[in-house]
Amino acid sequence: MKMKGEKVHKYDAIVIGTGVAGLYQLHLLRKLGLSVKAFEKGTDVGGTWYWNRYPGCRFDSESYTYQYSFSDELLEDWNWSEHFAPQPETLKYMQHVADRFDLRAHIEFSTAITSAKYQAAENKWEVQTDKQTTYSCQFLITALGILSEPYIPNIAGIDNFKGRAWHTSNWPKEKVKTTGKKIGVIGTGATGVQLITELAKDVEELYVFQLKPEYCIPLHNDKIDETTQKEIKKNQDKIFEQCNNSYGSFLHDFKYDKSALEVSKEERNAFYEKLWNERGFALWLGNYSDLLTDEDANHTISEFVRDKIRSQVDDPVIAEKLCPKDHGFGTRRVPCESGYYKAYNQPNVHLIDISETPIDCINELGIKTTAEQYDLDIIVFATGFDGVTGAYNKVNIVGEDGTNLSDEWKEGPETYLGMQTPGFPNLFTVCGPHNGSTFCNIPRCLEQNVEWISDCLSYINNNGFSKIEAELDAAKEWTDYAYEVAAPSLFAKTASWFSGANIPGKKRTFLSWAGGSPKYREKCNDVASTGYKGFKLT
Ligand code: NAP
């Protein structure tokens, strides 16, 4: 609440977060000539790439597909060193963008937004920070990130541990000495896989506490040599175009012309083998499209990958524990690996199957399972995030009729294009529930979101409007459509953060967008070109 006599700082727009989306949104709104301020909880820009500094953290998207596309000069003067750049390089890139476009002066760092309340009488948002300062703006844009709210399971005795412990997204900024240490990692998703591979190289003992294994595919990372660098620069427009035309905005796209089941086993396996040897997500997103909709087709690729896992791990018992059996390949986010399975052949790496012997508690010395005590120096929680909606629980966003946005979304969000929720005028949620960015090579879709929002604000200002609000019917229709396009896909049926199934007590409902990037873009363009149909402009 604003205190009596307190100075209120007024802006046309406020952006929350300075990750990939927030930074670009700030830049574009400034270019529109609006007065804009961005708020950032961290001490620097970068979002995901600021917080996730755990060893091994890097892109799973090809670097040249992940970068911003909006500036030829930026594309020209930035050279990625590897096909899949490591986190420190990406953070430097984000810092470079902030400096190059002179954005830092408009960002308040180390400042979290605690509440935002719509004031109907003035058609303004009143925004409060954790520094007890109050701001007012006409347009509020949340760029909070879909994987920014860490999840740590409620394990008995968690506070009793006398060593050091943290979530992967809170890996300390100062160098952590891991050599010669006994480290326990809980969680084996995309984050755990990268971290475990890196830690295995120098820790004394590494204990991996695995609930369910994932199907990991080889990343095939490499340095980018000079010739390739030139080729990339020459073809950069084509690279972006190829991404924008593909289902997930990656270089890889599904093979729609054939079913995995209509070819011979030999032809199918030869194709799988070819993709296995290609970079990044080729095997996942460049494969027969029915692998992600047909259980029989999916079985063929799941078995192929399980065999690949078995072939890399010396101990057949460990190999079997590393083979997923409860879900099909690609029905959860596929981690890319660079030596993960082979790490289990080392004498210092131990797989603890906590589906067989669950964690009983954490105590002063380490982790105790129902079978054994593991004494540890460090515990790392690679236990994931409260995806898509989680970050909104930390900001009290209150709409026109006094409803809190998180409460509104609790039983299953209804948004229009994942950008607006009825009852919350002039609030844009970049990468909100059922937004195209939720299943996408994310910068490709974030750029689209940000540009769409900027165009929309421009339209509002140029046409004498001051208020935009999603209509109830449009939001309902969009939500139904998002569920309809997700229905045939196996990943909508599989428990993961895409459906909130990883968070105890969270309503299980598919929060992502399974219709593919091109369809999402088309719908957004259609809405914009018809004077923002489905939105009420006043
Ligand atoms: P995640 O995929 O949700 O994995 C969390 C892990 O923690 C899972 O292995 C899970 O086991 C385990 N876990 C959860 N609760 C547990 C409990 N109570 N006890 C023991 N284990 C528990 O999270 P993530 O690995 O952080 O990845 C999240 C997302 O971040 C990815 O899907 C991806 O989109 C993104 N990411 C991207 C990159 C990249 O682009 N390079 C890298 C890393 C992450 P169960 O699965 O059995 O529940």
Side-chain angles (χ1 to χ4, degrees):
M1 232 1 222
K2 178 163 67 83
M3 307 299 278
K4 204 166 170 227
E6 184 194 343
K7 180 171 166 28
V8 176
H9 311 266
K10 295 184 177 156
Y11 288 91
D12 294 327
I14 282 180
V15 179
I16 315 180
T18 60
V20 175
L23 211 51
Y24 183 37
Q25 188 74 77
L26 173 62
H27 173 59
L28 273 194
L29 296 185
R30 283 188 39 71
K31 265 180 80 177
L32 275 187
L34 302 187
S35 62
V36 198
K37 178 119 188 148
F39 291 88
E40 171 54 57
K41 209 163 51 165
T43 58
D44 205 343
V45 298
T48 284
W49 305 104
Y50 168 87
W51 295 102
N52 290 277
R53 23 181 110 225
Y54 60 85
C57 181
R58 65 171 64 247
F59 286 150
D60 278 347
S61 311
E62 289 78 0
S63 311
Y64 31 92
T65 71
Y66 192 98
Q67 63 190 338
Y68 291 114
S69 71
F70 68 85
S71 158
D72 287 343
E73 293 77 21
L74 176 61
L75 285 165
E76 199 45 53
D77 71 15
W78 187 267
N79 290 328
W80 294 101
S81 68
E82 297 179 42
H83 285 274
F84 302 90
Q87 174 269 338
E89 187 171 335
T90 311
L91 181 57
K92 262 195 209 131
Y93 172 73
M94 296 298 292
Q95 292 164 338
H96 170 73
V97 172
D99 294 334
R100 197 178 208 295
F101 298 99
D102 200 15
L103 299 174
R104 287 183 189 277
H106 313 283
I107 304 171
E108 193 157 321
F109 290 104
S110 308
T111 306
I113 300 298
T114 50
S115 79
K117 295 180 179 162
Y118 180 70
Q119 312 291 318
E122 299 107 61
N123 185 30
K124 298 268 188 238
W125 282 90
E126 187 184 285
V127 175
Q128 198 98 43
T129 73
D130 61 353
K131 304 263 173 67
Q132 317 313 326
T133 41
T134 306
Y135 293 79
S136 149
C137 60
Q138 188 180 355
F139 300 104
L140 180 62
I141 296 132
T142 55
L144 303 178
I146 49 168
L147 293 159
S148 53
E149 185 55 31
Y151 165 64
I152 295 186
N154 188 11
I155 300 174
I158 203 162
D159 296 328
N160 297 337
F161 182 54
K162 292 279 188 254
R164 303 181 73 191
W166 50 76
H167 186 273
T168 43
S169 69
N170 283 317
W171 191 277
K173 275 189 193 164
E174 75 276 6
K175 184 154 174 49
V176 176
K177 185 175 180 296
T178 53
T179 315
K181 301 282 185 207
K182 291 189 178 75
I183 301 187
V185 175
I186 305 178
T188 53
T191 302
V193 164
Q194 291 184 330
L195 173 70
I196 290 158
T197 311
E198 201 55 32
L199 290 180
K201 292 176 183 166
D202 73 350
V203 301
E204 186 181 318
E205 303 293 345
L206 180 61
Y207 297 96
V208 177
F209 295 85
Q210 173 190 273
L211 209 49
K212 281 185 217 136
E214 281 300 348
Y215 297 88
C216 310
I217 58 177
L219 182 66
H220 295 303
N221 187 27
D222 237 327
K223 298 265 181 238
I224 298 177
D225 60 36
E226 224 172 286
T227 318
T228 315
Q229 195 74 259
K230 281 190 188 137
E231 273 302 298
I232 291 169
K233 295 240 187 268
K234 202 171 87 193
N235 291 310
Q236 191 63 63
D237 286 348
K238 280 192 202 140
I239 290 173
F240 287 137
E241 197 186 327
Q242 189 174 334
C243 289
N244 288 344
N245 288 330
S246 78
Y247 177 86
S249 292
F250 285 94
L251 282 178
H252 324 280
D253 201 8
F254 293 118
K255 200 170 157 46
Y256 292 100
D257 60 332
K258 264 187 197 160
S259 153
L261 298 176
E262 77 185 51
V263 296
S264 68
K265 189 174 175 196
E266 289 68 34
E267 182 180 337
R268 193 167 55 223
N269 279 347
F271 185 53
Y272 291 165
E273 192 65 42
K274 175 182 166 290
L275 295 178
W276 178 264
N277 291 307
E278 289 181 14
R279 285 188 214 288
F281 287 137
L283 190 78
W284 184 26
L285 303 175
N287 216 322
Y288 302 110
S289 62
D290 62 339
L291 295 181
L292 299 185
T293 52
D294 182 308
E295 299 214 4
D296 291 336
N298 184 277
H299 179 74
T300 64
I301 185 69
S302 300
E303 200 43 38
F304 175 87
V305 180
R306 281 193 286 263
D307 279 345
K308 287 290 187 191
I309 297 170
R310 291 176 186 121
S311 73
Q312 296 175 76
V313 181
D314 296 343
D315 181 334
V317 177
I318 300 291
E320 224 40 53
K321 285 183 191 299
L322 288 166
C323 286
K325 313 263 171 49
D326 68 312
H327 65 284
F329 171 80
T331 63
R332 312 209 310 175
R333 166 40 160 95
V334 173
C336 294
E337 63 90 33
S338 308
Y340 174 66
Y341 291 117
K342 293 207 166 116
Y344 290 98
N345 298 333
Q346 296 176 202
N348 64 332
V349 180
H350 315 277
L351 183 69
I352 320 298
D353 183 349
I354 54 172
S355 69
E356 277 178 8
T357 54
I359 294 176
D360 186 32
C361 67
I362 293 180
N363 51 31
E364 277 189 22
L365 298 176
I367 297 177
K368 185 170 172 287
T369 68
T370 52
E372 214 168 313
Q373 165 76 30
Y374 298 91
D375 292 352
L376 302 166
D377 300 308
I378 298 172
I379 298 176
V380 188
F381 294 94
T383 41
F385 300 86
D386 185 351
V388 188
T389 55
Y392 287 85
N393 298 334
K394 292 282 165 73
V395 191
N396 183 26
I397 299 177
V398 179
E400 193 150 22
D401 69 356
T403 311
N404 168 284
L405 186 63
S406 287
D407 289 342
E408 185 77 17
W409 285 353
K410 214 174 203 155
E411 291 305 307
E414 278 194 2
T415 71
Y416 188 33
L417 307 175
M419 300 252 209
Q420 265 217 350
T421 301
F424 295 80
N426 293 355
L427 169 70
F428 293 89
T429 51
V430 179
C431 202
H434 302 140
N435 183 304
S437 320
T438 52
F439 191 90
C440 186
N441 184 8
I442 203 160
R444 303 279 54 79
C445 294
L446 292 180
E447 272 193 341
Q448 179 270 347
N449 264 220
V450 164
E451 286 164 7
W452 189 92
I453 291 168
S454 302
D455 289 347
C456 178
L457 298 201
S458 201
Y459 180 88
I460 289 170
N461 288 340
N462 293 341
N463 288 280
F465 298 116
S466 62
K467 185 177 173 190
I468 180 166
E469 185 182 359
E471 287 171 1
L472 266 174
D473 286 351
K476 181 153 187 7
E477 206 177 301
W478 176 253
T479 308
D480 289 347
Y481 184 49
Y483 290 137
E484 185 189 313
V485 292
S489 80
L490 296 175
F491 58 73
K493 296 180 182 116
T494 310
S496 74
W497 64 261
F498 288 125
S499 55
N502 62 328
I503 303 299
K506 186 167 178 175
K507 167 94 176 168
R508 189 167 166 180
T509 172
F510 195 65
L511 295 166
S512 193
W513 165 253
S517 303
K519 208 177 264 181
Y520 180 76
R521 272 168 201 277
E522 198 185 300
K523 175 70 185 173
C524 288
N525 290 344
D526 176 49
V527 169
S529 66
T530 50
Y532 296 90
K533 76 176 167 202
F535 289 98
K536 195 165 135 202
L537 287 149
T538 42

